[in-house]
Amino acid sequence: MHDPHTLLAPDNAAQQRLARKGYALDRTALSALVRGRAEAIATRDSLRAELNTISRRLRGSGTDEDSRRAGVEAARELKERIRKAEHTQRTLDAELKDVLLGIPNTPLDEVPDGTPDDPVVEVRRWGQPPRFDFTPRDHVELGTTTGILDLERAGKLSGTRFAVTVRAGARLERALASFLLDLHTGEHGYHEYSVPHLVTRETMTGTGQLPKFEADLFRTQVDEGRDLYLIPTAEVPLVNLFRGETLPAADLPLALTAHTACFRSEAGSYGRDTRGLIRLHQFAKVELVRLCTQQDAADQLQLMLSHAEECLKRLGLHYRVIELRAGDLGFSARRTYDLEVWLPSQDTFREISSVSDCGPFQARRAGIQVRQGSGREYPATLNGSGLPIGRTMVAILEQYQQADGSVIVPPALVPYAGFSRIGPDGACD
């Protein structure tokens, strides 16, 4: 969320930055709300001061009965006017908050201009695409023929865009989660958390999912109609662990990780990604979150990016890093790098992780502050996938497939999975 005075600064800098993201700021409407709220507060304070003056006079001695009756009547009228002014202020407070909650974060100046339709900004590549002397199969065919993926029975349970993994498939998922958590906690310095998968509206608002993206969320009700939302990513509970708190600067940076189920409606998604494990309503992911001072955010973003990349390197998966253009940034992000893994069946790179710097945007919404000496400021929050289990499974199946339909398990996963190969019949050895 933004400071409205920053959005209305005379240099129009915020308006220009938002335009790079494709958002048109209505300065006239915002200015009217800010001005109206200030006038309501001024009116309220003036009336309160007048009421205090009358109250002191009534408490004093020497006031005749007629004057006292007039004073009591004037006080009653002032109280009613104060009540109306406070009501006006609360109404304008709510309207202003609703407007501010719908305004996205502004991109950093160094983020390249453009939209998703422009050529990607490629930063680097790692590894080489696997070479096959046969036509590579996609992950759905590989998972189905080996018997480790059962989409038909998943549909019977829950409908489309759900998956059931079986035997070696389920073991490989569990192995991936353990491998990634051990890497991030043992070598990258993250503290592991186990967090709720259902969170409140306030929690979703803190990280920017609400109010704008309610259609993308799954919602349920408990406790006499209280809404709870299924998390789309562990970023939501991890950042909001500190909602409303003031943290000592000496405690930063904070590095958190969690392995959770994630739930997304994927409203408007269609095409080949709705088949298989790439775009599901429910999937598992190991998430990375960092909180740091604003001046350290750029370095922390590069550090988090290196942590996500290391996962793919350890698994031997060919990938590239791209930087998103301003018009392709998410609502809460001011800078984002995507990791895209190579999928042989599609002969292209596909997103597997996004690593984003949100600056103080989420911290302001969630009321998270850092104590710096005698002052306070909002910290920067950063998040990244490290990694999603399903999409990583897709990349492993496709990049490590063999001509006979079997799949080799990446060496880094063998100690966790307990097998080095999934045979064409699903047997493990």
Side-chain angles (χ1 to χ4, degrees):
M1 192 162 67
H2 300 279
D3 180 342
H5 300 291
T6 300
L7 294 174
L8 295 172
D11 60 6
N12 289 335
Q15 185 176 17
Q16 293 165 8
R17 291 190 178 99
L18 286 167
R20 296 178 62 215
K21 209 169 185 178
Y23 183 89
L25 177 66
D26 188 340
R27 284 175 59 94
T28 301
L30 179 61
S31 179
L33 279 173
V34 171
R35 185 172 58 254
R37 177 180 179 274
E39 290 172 354
I41 292 173
T43 299
R44 179 204 65 189
D45 291 346
S46 175
L47 292 171
R48 284 178 175 175
E50 190 175 348
L51 178 62
N52 287 338
T53 299
I54 292 176
S55 297
R56 285 194 298 271
R57 188 183 306 138
L58 289 174
R59 288 195 300 269
S61 59
T63 304
D64 61 54
E65 189 60 29
D66 288 343
S67 297
R68 178 172 294 278
R69 279 198 299 269
V72 169
E73 178 61 21
R76 186 191 66 77
E77 292 178 357
L78 281 171
K79 289 177 181 178
E80 178 62 19
R81 292 170 64 189
I82 290 171
R83 185 191 66 78
K84 291 179 179 179
E86 290 174 338
H87 175 74
T88 299
Q89 180 201 340
R90 287 193 298 271
T91 299
L92 291 172
D93 278 341
E95 291 179 12
L96 179 59
K97 182 178 180 180
D98 285 345
V99 169
L100 293 174
L101 286 175
I103 299 174
N105 201 354
T106 53
L108 293 173
D109 291 340
E110 55 265 38
V111 172
D113 284 325
T115 70
D117 296 329
D118 293 310
V120 299
V121 181
E122 187 169 317
V123 178
R124 57 181 168 269
R125 295 188 181 197
W126 184 88
Q128 296 294 326
R131 303 297 180 187
F132 303 109
D133 56 5
F134 59 92
T135 301
R137 306 168 179 85
D138 70 11
H139 77 280
V140 176
E141 182 180 354
L142 287 163
T144 302
T145 57
T146 57
I148 67 171
L149 178 63
D150 193 335
L151 298 176
E152 184 176 347
R153 287 191 172 92
K156 180 170 63 175
L157 295 175
S158 306
T160 59
R161 299 197 199 178
F162 289 89
V164 169
T165 54
V166 186
R167 299 191 303 275
R171 288 173 62 184
L172 197 58
E173 283 190 324
R174 179 157 47 92
L176 268 170
S178 296
F179 161 73
L180 294 169
L181 288 170
D182 282 354
L183 176 60
H184 294 313
T185 59
E187 298 186 32
H188 296 159
Y190 290 81
H191 295 291
E192 183 179 354
Y193 285 74
S194 178
V195 293
H197 294 183
L198 286 163
V199 297
T200 64
R201 173 174 287 273
E202 292 76 15
T203 300
M204 284 288 189
T205 302
T207 39
Q209 282 73 27
L210 288 178
K212 186 174 179 61
F213 301 103
E214 186 149 9
D216 295 327
L217 303 172
F218 288 106
R219 182 177 65 181
T220 187
Q221 290 186 337
V222 295
D223 297 342
E224 299 180 356
R226 179 167 60 98
D227 288 346
L228 288 178
Y229 294 83
L230 287 161
I231 60 171
T233 167
E235 166 202 347
V236 174
L238 287 176
V239 170
N240 280 280
L241 285 171
F242 307 100
R243 181 159 52 90
E245 296 185 23
T246 299
L247 308 172
D251 289 353
L252 301 185
L254 295 176
L256 303 78
T257 187
H259 169 231
T260 66
C262 304
F263 305 87
R264 299 181 185 178
S265 73
E266 299 288 3
S269 299
Y270 61 93
R272 64 184 173 184
D273 284 352
T274 62
R275 176 175 175 265
L277 300 176
I278 293 181
R279 197 175 293 278
L280 298 172
H281 290 315
Q282 176 185 325
F283 59 96
K285 181 157 64 85
V286 173
E287 183 74 359
L288 306 176
V289 163
R290 299 182 79 87
L291 281 76
C292 65
T293 60
Q294 293 185 36
Q295 56 266 36
D296 288 341
D299 290 339
Q300 291 291 309
L301 178 63
Q302 296 302 321
L303 180 63
M304 179 177 280
L305 178 60
S306 73
H307 294 160
E309 286 189 71
E310 185 63 23
C311 301
L312 295 172
K313 290 177 181 178
R314 296 284 180 98
L315 295 171
L317 296 171
H318 177 46
Y319 72 90
R320 71 175 179 180
V321 180
I322 66 170
E323 180 170 6
L324 296 192
R325 295 181 181 273
D328 197 20
L329 291 173
F331 181 82
S332 297
R334 64 179 185 177
R335 190 172 196 177
T336 296
Y337 293 96
D338 274 2
L339 300 182
E340 296 186 335
V341 71
W342 181 256
L343 294 188
S345 70
Q346 299 182 17
D347 195 33
T348 191
F349 291 99
R350 299 303 306 272
E351 178 195 338
I352 194 169
S353 173
S354 285
V355 181
S356 298
D357 171 12
C358 297
F361 183 80
Q362 291 180 327
R364 182 183 290 274
R365 293 172 73 101
I368 305 170
Q369 293 186 302
V370 174
R371 188 180 301 107
Q372 291 272 32
S374 59
R376 299 183 183 189
E377 67 173 29
Y378 294 105
T381 63
L382 303 94
N383 65 82
S385 301
L387 297 165
I389 304 303
R391 292 194 182 198
T392 307
M393 284 265 291
V394 170
I396 289 172
L397 291 174
E398 294 206 7
Q399 289 199 32
Y400 282 91
Q401 64 180 294
Q402 306 298 303
D404 64 355
S406 63
V407 177
I408 302 300
V409 176
L413 281 184
V414 172
Y416 293 91
F419 52 88
S420 60
R421 175 179 173 273
I422 302 173
D425 59 354
C428 303
D429 52 46

